[in-house]
Amino acid sequence: MKKLILNMQMSVDGFVGANDDHCWQLWGWGDECAWDDELKRDFNAIFETIDTILLSRKMAEEGYLTHWGNAAKKFPQDRFYAFAQRIVEAQKIVPSDKLTTSRWERTKVVSGDLPTEVIALKQGAGGNIGVFGGAGFASALIAANLVDEFQLFVNPAVLGAGRRVFDRGGFSRLKLLGSKSYASGMVVSRYARCE
């Protein structure tokens, strides 16, 4: 069965957003990237296992797919942007009751019960499913106990306030799969649900 892997940037104090200001993140949506080469290599390795992306409607509409599609075209030979090409090639699923059709390439809009849709995706063939979205989307998946692995990219920043992804519960214990610090100050910790 496929794993649902939630990728989330967060601050040291556990916030994933503060008034939609992403300047605290080491890798925002732009050409400037403070990630070091080792972190970029490791992120690309994570993406090699993913062939489907579950993406929040809001993130899709805010330009996630367009941005990384443009990055794949702009940096076609840059090994540090290999994941951008994977984003382009992957099947994308956007759960939404507001959208009826997709305006993005290789992207399907689904409506209905989110847990039912995710379980059906997980039972399909192929690689794992990467999840990208905001705090509300991530919290809904966590509360429904659908996330198999958490990849938390902890930025060297303290926000003091904002949105969190673990506010709605779902389970209380995680099993550490690995943790690694990088020269850029980022710490990436991987966790699985304790069964």
Side-chain angles (χ1 to χ4, degrees):
M1 183 180 279
K2 293 181 170 196
K3 288 193 303 186
L4 189 72
I5 301 171
L6 175 66
N7 291 271
M8 185 64 65
Q9 287 200 57
M10 61 183 10
S11 65
V12 171
D13 53 346
F15 295 106
V16 298
N19 302 323
D20 294 327
D21 176 13
H22 299 284
C23 66
W24 59 272
Q25 294 179 348
L26 291 182
W27 193 345
W29 287 10
D31 294 340
E32 296 301 316
C33 175
W35 285 22
D36 55 85
D37 292 352
E38 185 178 17
L39 177 53
K40 292 176 187 177
R41 275 193 303 273
D42 288 353
F43 187 71
N44 278 307
I46 290 167
F47 245 88
E48 288 176 7
T49 71
I50 292 172
D51 69 4
T52 304
I53 297 172
L54 186 65
L55 188 65
S56 70
R57 175 195 54 81
K58 185 176 178 184
M59 189 167 275
E61 289 185 324
E62 287 178 352
Y64 178 90
L65 298 174
T66 302
H67 172 77
W68 292 117
N70 289 339
K73 291 175 191 166
K74 186 173 181 179
F75 304 106
Q77 304 303 318
D78 187 335
R79 68 186 191 281
F80 294 131
Y81 280 87
F83 74 90
Q85 189 59 44
R86 297 278 299 171
I87 291 172
V88 170
E89 294 168 355
Q91 174 188 9
K92 275 81 68 182
I93 306 295
V94 178
S96 176
D97 291 328
K98 294 182 179 179
L99 298 175
T100 55
T101 59
S102 170
R103 57 183 180 266
W104 306 282
E105 188 177 349
R106 293 183 189 91
T107 304
K108 179 180 175 185
V109 174
V110 296
S111 62
D113 182 61
L114 182 61
T116 301
E117 294 289 346
V118 171
I119 290 167
L121 279 174
K122 289 168 77 169
Q123 291 174 340
N128 292 321
I129 306 162
V131 177
F132 297 95
F137 186 61
S139 293
L141 294 168
I142 293 167
N145 208 22
L146 295 168
V147 179
D148 299 297
E149 183 176 324
F150 298 85
Q151 295 180 353
L152 306 178
F153 292 73
V154 181
N155 286 254
V158 175
L159 300 182
R163 307 232 13 228
R164 298 181 187 265
V165 295
F166 294 103
D167 284 347
R168 293 174 57 185
F171 49 88
S172 60
R173 291 190 44 88
L174 297 173
K175 175 184 174 186
L176 181 65
L177 300 175
S179 187
K180 187 172 180 180
S181 61
Y182 295 89
S184 61
M186 181 82 75
V187 176
V188 179
S189 295
R190 296 175 47 241
Y191 294 92
R193 280 190 331 237
C194 287
E195 299 297 331

